[in-house]
Amino acid sequence: QSTWGFLVGRFRSEYWAFEPGVVMPFKVALVVATVLVQEPQSQASTALIVVVAVLTVHTLTLPYARSLHNRLAIAVLVAACVVLAGGLMLERLYRRILVLGGVLATLAAVVFALVVDIVELRRQDAEAAGETDWSSARNSEAGVATAKRLNGASLDDGVGIARTAALCDNSVELSAFSNSVGGGA
């Protein structure tokens, strides 16, 4: 894997430059629009337009190699739209419900993606090590390989490996779930 594989490895080959070529310009546009516009309602409206544009481009291109990653990105972008639209609500109760709901949905999607990725990395490392029961990879060569991939840790880095093993301990119960999700492309 190349030095920059962690940046482009999740994208389909034809969209290897999606992050720097599409996402970063939208982020810059969001910052510039937010800085140039003074009124909070107008800032939220401008940000909503930018996020809807990103959502549209992402939905039309589906740049990630795995459909799960595309769905998660779309879910997070929709949740961001809900937060921004909620911020534009004049009714206080609806504003709070939409903003809190959007933030919680974003948090849930990010945690879900993290757990699925850890489980998938463990499964791949266990398969590469020739293990049949990948849920035991935590104490094996595959577990060490997963720790290295997640932390950039060396074999002597007990802290990074222990931290990753602790994270992986919590995901063992998700093995049945990850088997059903892991096959999606």
Side-chain angles (χ1 to χ4, degrees):
Q1 185 168 347
S2 72
T3 304
W4 302 104
F6 71 96
L7 288 175
V8 298
R10 291 179 181 242
F11 294 104
R12 294 190 326 218
S13 60
E14 64 268 28
Y15 293 112
W16 66 270
F18 190 81
E19 185 73 28
V22 176
V23 175
M24 288 309 293
F26 275 118
K27 288 178 181 179
V28 170
L30 187 62
V31 170
V32 168
T34 303
V35 169
L36 292 179
V37 177
Q38 299 299 316
E39 173 64 35
Q41 297 285 39
S42 297
Q43 286 178 332
S45 297
T46 305
L48 182 59
I49 291 168
V50 171
V51 173
V52 167
V54 172
L55 176 62
T56 302
V57 169
H58 189 90
T59 303
L60 292 174
T61 59
L62 298 173
Y64 292 116
R66 293 186 64 203
S67 62
L68 174 66
H69 293 141
N70 283 312
R71 289 189 300 250
L72 286 170
I74 290 169
V76 169
L77 289 168
V78 167
C81 289
V82 169
V83 169
L84 291 167
L88 293 171
M89 290 284 182
L90 297 177
E91 181 69 36
R92 184 177 182 190
L93 176 64
Y94 296 132
R95 182 174 55 241
R96 287 185 174 194
I97 289 171
L98 287 175
V99 169
L100 183 60
V103 169
L104 291 175
T106 301
L107 181 61
V110 168
V111 169
F112 175 78
L114 176 65
V115 170
V116 167
D117 280 347
I118 288 172
V119 170
E120 180 64 16
L121 284 172
R122 288 183 63 218
R123 185 189 63 76
Q124 289 173 2
D125 288 341
E127 286 176 0
E131 297 172 6
T132 55
D133 180 15
W134 69 269
S135 65
S136 66
R138 170 177 70 250
N139 298 319
S140 67
E141 291 292 321
V144 171
T146 301
K148 286 174 64 179
R149 287 170 62 187
L150 289 171
N151 292 323
S154 69
L155 291 175
D156 297 328
D157 182 10
V159 174
I161 293 173
R163 184 174 60 235
T164 302
L167 284 172
C168 292
D169 279 343
N170 296 329
S171 64
V172 169
E173 296 82 27
L174 298 172
S175 62
F177 173 74
S178 68
N179 287 337
S180 64
V181 172

